[in-house]
């Protein structure tokens, strides 16, 4: 048994409270229940939640823990005496004498029917929520042979899906009902060519909960980890005492900053984030880690974390970005001044053009802090190997960045750390930064045993970076015909305690500040500021959606002044080939914004003729990071002796369907069937592409697959069989290094490889509720129409929540709520009809014309909702979320109990 020599870390909880918790939790009781037809006799704690009994004592992993003990996400649903119940909000003792059924207990025929319905309907993405929904689907269709879409949406109210927007989930449940009535389930598409709706790889297994997420994994001799977090946004750590934690039976180690053998500070772009805060240093936010505990089981580890005692000297926090940038403000982070990054774009004479404009509008727009709320909380499993290496299984968005940072923390060469992606349960940018990888790896290092560490929902919300709240002051002018003359904008963003990629988010906001429009005079400045709030970093849209909320609002106001229709003013200003984008880049190809406007126009005109309250907004979003950053697509096709081909790439599958899409490019380039290819993401091969971000994985990864596939195809065309090629490795390495940094003094500006475009229309009903959304999106070339439309539907769902109900409000640096319904993510019954129109404007630099669509889907949504609301009640809303609106009040989420 290994005890680190220095125990630095703790949790500010009272001794008596911790003692009472520990005493109660060590009491054991025995319960009996029928589980999937078999009598179970199980020892539990009186306070144990049934989800943990099933997962940890009974080995039932189709039941997921997304929010325990809230019972607000539905991932843990089981049938109790035939009725669906959330097992995370049910004490284990309540199950005594009950009949419990999970997906594992259904007949093979019923399991096949359920999984077939979800796979055929493309009714899943990351899949973390789907097993609970699948069991609910059984209950719905057992009760009602032909449920309506409205009835299904209402029945799904306890369930939360962050990926799909529910459209295809409801499709799947109706398909299941039809199958039970004797109708055949459409066979899943097996045609892997580009343009076909190839069924998601592993979709059927994911629907049944057979796909393992990190927290589902169990290995021999495994310990469980828990963290001690700071309760203060800013305080000096005076003392950490782990004596009482170490005395708890079953505790194997408490690790702190003193036990880190290598580099304790980590970060994607700047190493300014301590994996452990040391004695004598300041905590800078309520997600800072002071200690990590390893114990024989999860519960004991968490008990021990409560017993680590920390003494603090509290200090006044810096909580406002304007205050942070003021003279004399305390320095938030010791590694950098409070101004994290400044981005400036200046073209022409904006002030002069504004003064000479026929019409001018000005105002302040503000957006809120948003929680990603991916359904799978962060988890990692670290295993010391017999040869001295460390194996790390992670859900991160960049496994090679994880390897680099973990190896640095442990003082090891990166080759001594093998990292394997376990495709994750959603991310949306929130799993770019490391969360628990470093602490899990250190616990495995000091104990010499495998350690798994999984966050609770509250811990997840406290630790990972959020969407930036931005304050944006805009002035926009146009001539008498409605042509934009100038944009002047000043943008300030709260980046929280650590850099993450916050500076780049503000840079992207500046670069997209003019939207998808031709603007001859531009004066934009954006500032990213450190504060003691939770860190802010990457989230779907990456600053573009915030900027569009302001710019599109200005366009609506100008349309009114110029006497123009809102569609018409956008058409008059939309970018075309040869026009100049905000950053100074001349658009040379694949400019699809006008095609999306044309696709929307008949729907928009019809709604206007009917006298409906209709709003419209356009969007542009870079595909590829660009801005002078060298980018790679890297792939290895490895022919196996069994005739299959492993497809290694460096980007992360997180529900977007990347692995399926890459297989389609492999099929297209080799002529082999999709069933031949086995996608993998680990560090076996040096395919480091950086983070899965910037809507670039399809763009760069697809090109790399085509390059590798062409080499394999050449050997096949030469007469070689796969059997003869066993062991061959075909490399596809594609470097993109022709973009230019923002503001670089170059003759030809090219800030980004390509862009996605969108126009969205929102229609309200007579009461002001969102009734319908039509979303036209340019994908370059649609690789997989089912997956592509699913991405847009899910993004619209996220955009509507962003517009109306979602907000992570903080007081004194601490989120005021961790309750899922109060955080405001929309439920199925809150969703309007969503119609997706996919437009193709092929990208010559993309794989077979394709480009990314993962983020553009929500870029215009909030602005379109604001536009519709103004059409409804005449109020121009400039602050998100628009909770004062009738559209928000119609939703079932986003308000504290009793606040309406």
């Amino acid at each position: 048994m290994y005890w680190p020599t220095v125990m630095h870390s703790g949790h500010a909880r009272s001794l008596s409270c911790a003692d009472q918790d520990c005493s109660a939790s060590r009491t054991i009781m025995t319960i009996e229940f029928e589980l999937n037809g078999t009598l179970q006799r199980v020892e539990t704690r009186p306070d144990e939640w049934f989800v943990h009994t099933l997962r940890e004592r009974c080995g039932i992993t189709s039941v997921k823990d997304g929010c325990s003990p809230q019972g607000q996400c539905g991932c843990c649903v089981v049938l109790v005496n035939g009725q669906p119940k959330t097992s995370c909000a049910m004490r284990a003792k309540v199950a005594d004498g009950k009949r419990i059924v999970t997906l594992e207990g259904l007949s093979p025929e019923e399991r096949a029917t359920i999984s077939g319905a979800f796979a055929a309907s493309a009714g899943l993405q990351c899949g973390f929520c789907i097993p609970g929904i699948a069991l609910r689907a059984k209950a719905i269709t057992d009760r009602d042979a032909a449920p309506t879409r409205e009835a299904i949406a209402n029945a799904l109210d306890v369930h939360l899906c962050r990926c799909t927007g529910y459209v295809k989930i409801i499709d799947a449940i109706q398909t299941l009902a039809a199958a039970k009535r004797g109708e055949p389930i459409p066979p899943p598409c097996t045609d892997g060519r580009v343009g076909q709706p190839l069924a998601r790889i592993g979709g059927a297994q994911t629907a049944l909960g057979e796909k393992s997420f990190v927290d589902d994994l169990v290995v021999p001799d495994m310990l469980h980890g828990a963290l001690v977090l700071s309760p203060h946004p800013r305080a000096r750590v005076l003392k950490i005492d782990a004596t009482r934690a170490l005395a708890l039976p079953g505790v194997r180690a408490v690790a702190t900053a003193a036990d880190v053998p290598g580099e304790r500070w980590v970060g994607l772009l700047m190493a300014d984030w301590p994996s452990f805060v040391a004695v004598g240093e300041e905590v800078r936010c309520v997600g800072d880690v002071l200690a990590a505990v390893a114990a024989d089981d999860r519960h004991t580890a968490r008990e021990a974390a409560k017993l680590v005692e920390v003494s603090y000297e509290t200090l006044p926090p810096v909580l406002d970005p304007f205050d942070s940038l003021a003279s004399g403000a305390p320095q938030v982070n010791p590694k950098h001044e409070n101004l994290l990054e400044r981005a400036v774009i200046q073209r022409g004479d904006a002030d002069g053009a504004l003064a000479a404009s026929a019409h001018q509008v000005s105002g302040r727009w503000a957006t809120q802090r948003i929680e990603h709320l991916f359904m799978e909380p962060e988890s990692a499993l670290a295993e010391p190997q017999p040869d001295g290496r460390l194996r790390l299984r992670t859900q991160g968005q960049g496994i090679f960045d994880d390897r680099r940072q973990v190896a640095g923390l442990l003082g090891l060469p990166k080759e001594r750390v093998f990292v394997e992606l376990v495709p994750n349960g959603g991310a949306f940018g929130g799993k770019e930064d490391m969360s628990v990888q470093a602490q899990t790896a250190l616990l495995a290092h000091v104990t010499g045993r495998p350690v798994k560490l999984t966050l609770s929902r509250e811990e997840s919300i406290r630790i990972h970076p959020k969407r930036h709240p931005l304050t944006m002051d805009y002035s926009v002018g146009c001539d008498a015909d409605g042509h934009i003359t100038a944009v002047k904008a000043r943008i300030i963003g709260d980046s929280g305690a650590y850099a993450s990629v916050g500076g780049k988010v503000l840079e992207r906001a500046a670069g997209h500040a003019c939207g998808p429009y031709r603007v001859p005079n531009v004066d934009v400045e954006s500032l990213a500021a450190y504060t003691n709030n939770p860190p802010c970093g990457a989230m779907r849209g990456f600053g573009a959606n915030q900027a569009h909320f302001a710019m599109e609002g200005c366009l609506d106001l100008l349309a009114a002044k110029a006497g123009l229709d809102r569609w018409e003013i956008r058409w008059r200003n939309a970018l075309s080939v040869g026009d100049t984008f905000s950053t100074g880049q001349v658009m040379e190809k694949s400019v699809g914004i006008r095609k999306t406007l044309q696709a929307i126009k008949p729907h928009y005109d019809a709604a206007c003729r009917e006298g409906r309250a209709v709003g419209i907004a356009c969007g542009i979003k870079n595909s590829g990071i660009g801005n002078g950053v060298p980018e790679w697509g890297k792939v290895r096709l490895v022919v196996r002796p069994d005739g299959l081909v492993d497809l290694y790439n460096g980007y992360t599958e997180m529900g977007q369907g990347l692995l399926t899409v890459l297989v389609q490019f492999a099929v297209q380039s080799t002529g082999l069937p999709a069933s031949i290819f086995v996608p993998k993401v680990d560090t076996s091969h040096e395919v480091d592409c950086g983070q899965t971000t910037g809507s670039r994985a399809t763009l760069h990864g697809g090109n790399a697959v085509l390059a590798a596939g062409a080499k394999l195809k050449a050997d096949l065309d030469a007469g070689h069989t796969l059997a003869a090629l066993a062991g061959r490795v075909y490399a596809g390495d594609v470097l993109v290094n022709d973009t230019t940094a923002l503001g670089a003094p170059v003759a030809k500006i090219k800030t980004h490889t390509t862009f996605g475009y969108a126009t969205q229309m929102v229609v309200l009903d007579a009461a002001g509720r969102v009734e319908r959304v039509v979303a036209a999106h340019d994908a370059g070339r649609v690789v997989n129409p089912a997956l592509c439309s699913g991405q847009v539907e899910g993004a619209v769902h996220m955009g509507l929540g962003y517009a109306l109900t979602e907000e992570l409000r903080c007081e004194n640096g601490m989120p005021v709520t961790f309750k899922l319904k109060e955080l405001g993510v929309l439920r199925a019954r809150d969703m309007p009809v969503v119609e997706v129109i996919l437009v193709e404007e092929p990208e010559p630099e993309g794989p077979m014309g394709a480009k990314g669509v993962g983020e553009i889907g929500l870029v215009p949504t909030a602005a379109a909702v604001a536009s519709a609301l103004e059409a409804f009640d005449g109020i121009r809303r400039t602050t998100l979320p628009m909770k004062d609106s009738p559209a928000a009040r119609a939703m079932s989420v986003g308000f504290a109990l009793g606040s309406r």
Side-chain angles (χ1 to χ4, degrees), residues 638-845:
V638 182
V639 183
R640 295 173 12 178
D642 61 5
L644 300 180
V645 179
D646 288 333
L647 194 167
Y648 289 90
N649 101 98
Y651 291 119
T652 290
E653 171 63 59
M654 47 193 173
Q656 80 277 43
L658 173 67
L659 299 185
T660 305
V661 165
L662 294 185
V663 165
Q664 291 187 256
F665 287 123
V667 169
Q668 195 74 41
S669 59
T670 66
L672 296 171
S675 58
I676 288 287
F677 296 97
V678 182
K680 294 184 176 181
V681 184
D682 62 37
T683 54
S684 296
H685 298 270
E686 288 300 322
V687 289
D688 183 0
C689 303
Q691 291 291 314
T692 310
T693 189
S695 299
R696 65 178 181 158
T698 294
L699 177 70
H700 299 325
N703 278 330
V705 173
L706 293 178
K711 297 175 184 178
L712 173 55
K713 181 67 160 56
D715 279 353
L716 293 172
D717 288 346
H720 299 289
T721 64
L722 281 178
L725 297 175
R728 295 276 187 95
V729 178
Y730 297 89
D733 293 326
V734 178
L735 173 63
V736 178
N737 63 354
D738 63 342
T739 64
T740 58
L742 194 66
V746 294
K748 180 180 179 180
I749 297 172
K750 183 184 181 182
T751 50
H752 299 288
T753 299
T754 187
F755 301 84
Y757 299 88
T759 301
Q760 293 183 357
M761 180 188 93
V762 170
V763 180
L764 307 185
D765 67 13
R769 180 189 177 106
V770 178
E771 179 180 274
R772 179 179 174 223
V773 177
V774 183
H777 285 257
D778 165 30
R781 170 80 182 276
V782 177
V783 180
N784 185 311
L787 299 185
C788 188
S789 60
Q791 280 289 287
V792 176
E793 289 160 359
V796 168
H797 166 262
M798 188 175 284
L800 290 172
Y802 182 53
L804 297 171
T805 55
E806 290 192 44
E807 183 176 19
L808 185 70
R809 196 163 57 86
C810 294
E811 292 181 0
N812 197 34
M814 179 70 80
V816 299
T817 185
F818 300 100
K819 295 179 179 178
L820 270 57
K821 285 211 169 185
E822 292 179 8
L823 292 174
V825 177
L826 301 184
R827 305 285 164 150
R829 66 175 166 135
D830 298 316
M831 283 297 292
V833 173
V834 178
E835 302 170 41
V836 176
I837 303 171
L838 296 178
V839 170
E840 292 186 321
E841 183 66 29
E843 168 53 57
E845 294 186 66

Side-chain angles (χ1 to χ4, degrees), residues 580-655:
T580 301
F581 178 54
S582 305
T583 63
Q585 176 175 345
V586 176
M587 312 302 267
E588 298 179 340
K589 66 230 176 7
S590 191
V591 182
I593 184 61
R594 289 184 176 273
K595 280 189 176 181
T596 67
L597 275 162
Q598 288 172 325
I600 285 291
K601 193 170 196 312
H603 303 275
Y604 179 80
D605 288 347
C608 290
R609 284 195 302 270
E610 294 168 3
R612 307 297 298 276
V614 58
I616 188 171
C618 295
I620 182 171
K621 178 65 178 67
N622 57 291
S623 181
I625 293 175
N627 284 339
V629 176
E631 298 183 77
W632 286 93
K634 294 185 179 183
V635 161
R636 300 293 181 268
L637 297 178
V638 182
V639 183
R640 295 173 12 178
D642 61 5
L644 300 180
V645 179
D646 288 333
L647 194 167
Y648 289 90
N649 101 98
Y651 291 119
T652 290
E653 171 63 59
M654 47 193 173

Side-chain angles (χ1 to χ4, degrees), residues 287-300:
D288 272 341
V289 177
L290 293 129
V293 177
D296 291 344
D297 59 71
R298 180 191 57 82
H299 184 76
T300 300

Side-chain angles (χ1 to χ4, degrees), residues 424-469:
N424 68 43
F428 314 109
K431 292 176 179 175
E432 289 188 18
D433 299 89
M434 291 210 300
S435 54
V436 297
Q437 294 94 320
Q439 295 82 9
T440 309
L442 182 61
L443 288 173
H445 175 76
V446 300
T447 61
R449 291 173 61 178
V451 177
K452 181 172 71 177
L453 200 163
T454 302
L455 297 181
S456 68
R457 180 57 63 184
E458 177 179 334
E459 291 165 341
S460 171
I461 292 172
R462 287 171 64 176
I463 288 176
H464 72 251
K466 314 299 173 199
R467 187 187 297 285
H468 282 73

